[in-house]
Amino acid sequence: MRILLVEDDELVADAVIRGLSSAGFTVDLAGSAEQARTAVAVEHFDLAVVDIGLPGADGLTWLARLRTAGNAMPVLVLTARYALQEKIRAFDLGADDFLMKPFEQAELAARCRALIRRAGLVPSGALKLGRLQIDLLGHQLQIDGVAVELTKREWLVLESLAHNVGRVVTKERLLQAVAGSEQDLTANAVETHLSRLRAKLGDAAVIRTVRGLGYRLDEIPGRSP
């Protein structure tokens, strides 16, 4: 499951990314409302975690614009200040949850899981793509009903592609998903994990290389009984 973190404080962002990544989420970081607006326009996210105190337009302004545009993605608002009126305003603008800093990473992860379940985006945590059955919550893959073992990074590649089935995912986006908080991984690592994932998928799905752009997962219809 993929989360957009909108946070300009590097220390806070790093801690949140580490905590949510260890809980099994893929996290993209935007340092401003403008960066978040661009990210939402071109990518799919299951949830946004948004700090109120951002440079330029604040988090609540971004939230208001998101809802005005008709985007119903769940949003969890973060703030370092507790003010009842600010909390009420956040909910009135369309926030789904509200959490004060400092907070425990385990609580943040639990709230994120609850919001995604509540939104019904992945009611059972399952995706069915042709012959693939993907359990997003249990991190399990089955092909034609047979379990397939994936490494953590192979899983992250598959999850990113599956959320965008039929659409191109850039190598940079896959690298970000695989690396998480580890900044020493190279683009070659993506190729390695893609190659291993392709081998495990066999003829059940196709990961196409779109030259100069990235990669696309194309599902193959299930076998006839």
Side-chain angles (χ1 to χ4, degrees):
M1 289 172 283
R2 190 171 177 188
I3 292 177
L4 175 64
L5 172 62
V6 190
E7 172 64 70
D8 66 311
D9 186 309
E10 293 183 3
L11 291 178
V12 173
D14 182 66
V16 170
I17 290 171
R18 288 177 182 272
L20 291 179
S21 295
S22 67
F25 295 98
T26 299
V27 186
D28 291 39
L29 176 64
S32 67
E34 181 60 26
Q35 290 179 14
R37 184 192 67 80
T38 300
V40 169
V42 299
E43 301 286 351
H44 165 82
F45 297 96
D46 298 303
L47 170 76
V49 176
V50 184
D51 185 27
I52 290 180
L54 298 172
D58 66 16
L60 295 185
T61 299
W62 177 81
L63 171 61
R65 291 172 179 170
L66 183 78
R67 296 304 188 225
T68 298
N71 193 319
M73 171 178 59
V75 174
L76 188 156
V77 172
L78 301 177
T79 183
R81 310 179 304 273
Y82 179 81
L84 181 59
Q85 290 305 314
E86 189 172 68
K87 187 174 183 178
I88 292 172
R89 181 169 175 243
F91 284 125
D92 284 344
L93 289 174
D96 297 277
D97 202 353
F98 192 95
L99 190 59
M100 276 193 62
K101 301 177 183 177
F103 49 82
E104 295 293 332
Q105 296 293 337
E107 180 182 3
L108 175 61
R111 285 173 181 257
C112 289
R113 287 191 294 269
L115 287 174
I116 292 173
R117 286 197 303 270
R118 192 183 308 161
L121 295 178
V122 284
S124 64
L127 287 176
K128 181 169 176 57
L129 303 174
R131 295 164 57 193
L132 307 184
Q133 297 88 43
I134 305 172
D135 180 353
L136 296 170
L137 299 180
H139 290 186
Q140 295 179 343
L141 168 67
Q142 290 186 346
I143 297 177
D144 298 327
V146 179
V148 177
E149 293 295 325
L150 300 180
T151 66
K152 178 180 179 180
R153 287 174 178 167
E154 289 166 358
W155 171 262
L156 291 172
V157 170
L158 175 62
E159 186 179 40
S160 295
L161 292 170
H163 273 308
N164 295 279
V165 65
R167 295 182 292 178
V168 174
V169 180
T170 66
K171 180 181 290 188
E172 291 74 18
R173 185 65 66 188
L174 287 179
L175 178 59
Q176 185 177 34
V178 171
S181 59
E182 300 176 46
Q183 303 300 322
D184 58 339
L185 293 183
T186 66
N188 288 336
V190 171
E191 296 284 356
T192 298
H193 297 306
L194 275 167
S195 177
R196 292 173 180 168
L197 180 59
R198 281 183 172 124
K200 292 182 178 181
L201 294 179
D203 63 356
V206 177
I207 300 176
R208 303 189 188 279
T209 299
V210 182
R211 189 174 298 276
L213 295 177
Y215 306 92
R216 186 182 73 233
L217 176 65
D218 292 337
E219 61 181 290
I220 294 177
R223 295 168 177 163
S224 300

